[in-house]
Amino acid sequence: AAKQSGRNRYQLFDTEQDSRARSLREAIVNARAALEQEQFRLYYQPKVNLCSGLIVGFEALIRWQHPEQGILAPAAFLVDLEETDLIVDIGDWVMETALAQLEAWQALGWDYPVSINIAARHLQQPDFLPRLQRALERHPAVPPRLLELEILETAALEDVGQVSLVIAACQRLGVGFALDDFGTGYSSLSYFKSLPARTLKIDQSFVRDMLHDPEALAIVEGVVGLTSAFQRSVVAEGMETVEHGVMLLRLGCIHAQGYAIARPMPAAEVPAWAASFEPDPRWVEVASQQWL
Ligand code: C2E
Ligand code: MG
Ligand code: MG
Ligand code: MG
């Protein structure tokens, strides 16, 4: 009976906010344990030049190899942690793991850049730069130019002044920068101009919709024009079909990433994929019609 009334009292005060706080605490405890038990993995998804078929680089994407639930994508465990300090520790692990992978690929004679996703809270740590520098020093065989950091355009817009300083400082170290999910943040042209990122990644929603939605098409076209005017490079994300690739090439966007090229894969599968990848003949044809 005592237990029963205790439970009732608990329910009475268990507001939605409390239960959300409780599930966040649970998520933190679980993810912290996963980090300590080395259950996180990086998968790698290629970015390619659609005309030449040359690999432009790989994006490292975190996965949780959960002992019961199998491979979990970031939406299932990471998104809730973006506003907690744990995202900093996970981010440091991602950086270290990607650099170790770059080192292993260097030993194979590979020279492909790898990009990692950096949460705003990680980038905003006062000691972000010295930590990045120390991470690079732990992997002296890796030229810093092979590491690229991706930050969401929306996160960059939270504090354009500070973020542009960090971007500039990273680029002085040789590390590249990309604005991720570009087009979703409504960045004004003047903000964009002050963010010195080398690359823009066009958000996959625009790429997905551009074949049937004239406004999405206009945005893709606009971003491509913007990057060439500002001497940045551009990568289309979420290229799911060969037809998307054809349209991207018509718009002058030659670098792309998406399921039509490859899904994210464990590092061990990358060499065999790289050895067998060939661009679709339709891309090669469009490219030759446009530029020869
Ligand atoms: P993102 O950085 O924009 O990464 C692209 C996402 O789109 C990835 O989802 C990728 O698997 C997915 N994708 C790639 N090609 C296609 C396609 O053709 N169609 C569709 N529908 N999706 C495609 P993923 O791996 O689930 O990651 C989701 C987001 O989680 C990432 O978006 C990134 O913002 C975040 N994330 C991933 N790894 C990390 C990490 O290590 N650290 C941090 N802080 N965030 C990460
Ligand atoms: Mg990304
Ligand atoms: Mg993206
Ligand atoms: Mg995204």
Side-chain angles (χ1 to χ4, degrees):
K3 193 178 172 196
Q4 187 61 41
S5 79
R7 192 156 155 245
N8 286 339
R9 200 163 54 222
Y10 187 64
Q11 276 171 352
L12 192 61
F13 292 104
D14 186 21
T15 62
E16 203 184 311
Q17 211 175 359
D18 285 339
S19 83
R20 230 182 296 139
R22 199 148 30 83
S23 78
L24 178 59
R25 278 198 302 278
E26 236 168 73
I28 293 172
V29 168
N30 292 340
R32 161 92 44 215
L35 185 61
E36 280 160 9
Q37 291 162 29
E38 300 181 4
Q39 291 172 354
F40 290 130
R41 304 282 180 270
L42 289 184
Y43 274 35
Y44 294 86
Q45 187 182 33
K47 304 174 221 176
V48 306
N49 178 319
L50 296 173
C51 315
S52 65
L54 291 176
I55 297 166
V56 183
F58 291 89
E59 177 173 9
L61 295 157
I62 198 168
R63 298 289 181 265
W64 180 356
Q65 172 84 63
H66 194 283
E68 286 113 41
Q69 298 172 47
I71 298 283
L72 301 180
F77 67 93
L78 197 70
V79 179
D80 294 341
L81 304 177
E82 298 261 323
E83 305 294 329
T84 74
D85 288 332
L86 186 54
I87 200 71
V88 176
D89 294 337
I90 293 175
D92 283 343
W93 176 86
V94 169
M95 192 182 282
E96 185 62 33
T97 306
L99 283 165
Q101 189 59 58
L102 272 166
E103 194 160 39
W105 282 343
Q106 284 280 291
L108 294 180
W110 280 17
D111 224 21
Y112 300 128
V114 168
S115 62
I116 59 176
N117 294 283
I118 299 288
R121 195 184 180 93
H122 193 195
L123 193 79
Q124 285 159 3
Q125 297 298 303
D127 60 348
F128 180 77
L129 284 163
R131 278 150 78 128
L132 171 62
Q133 200 159 6
R134 281 201 299 276
L136 289 165
E137 283 162 7
R138 282 194 294 275
H139 301 276
V142 179
R145 67 179 165 80
L146 293 186
L147 183 67
E148 185 179 63
L149 309 182
E150 297 189 4
I151 175 174
L152 292 174
E153 181 204 15
T154 46
L157 291 178
E158 279 173 23
D159 189 347
V160 173
Q162 201 233 351
V163 169
S164 53
L165 288 176
V166 176
I167 294 178
C170 287
Q171 291 185 155
R172 278 195 296 277
L173 292 174
V175 171
F177 238 94
L179 295 178
D180 206 350
D181 296 7
F182 193 83
T184 59
Y186 313 102
S187 89
S188 78
L189 289 181
S190 62
Y191 281 158
F192 169 67
K193 190 167 179 284
S194 64
L195 288 166
R198 203 152 63 192
T199 304
L200 302 188
K201 300 190 75 180
I202 306 176
D203 188 62
Q204 53 188 45
S205 60
F206 306 118
V207 177
R208 187 187 58 220
D209 295 342
M210 68 180 175
L211 297 181
H212 59 263
D213 173 357
E215 289 172 3
L217 183 67
I219 290 173
V220 175
E221 209 168 2
V223 174
V224 173
L226 200 60
T227 52
S228 77
F230 284 82
Q231 322 233 312
R232 317 288 176 90
S233 63
V234 59
V235 179
E237 297 194 290
M239 196 192 84
E240 292 192 350
T241 68
V242 170
E243 289 70 31
H244 287 127
V246 168
M247 180 56 85
L248 288 169
L249 284 166
R250 291 212 178 105
L251 299 176
C253 180
I254 59 179
H255 293 163
Q257 175 181 357
Y259 296 166
I261 297 159
R263 291 192 174 244
M265 63 191 108
E269 291 174 16
V270 168
W273 175 84
S276 68
F277 175 72
E278 284 186 36
D280 191 276
R282 279 166 283 177
W283 301 334
V284 180
E285 193 193 316
V286 177
S288 67
Q289 282 164 2
Q290 278 197 291
W291 293 303
L292 282 191

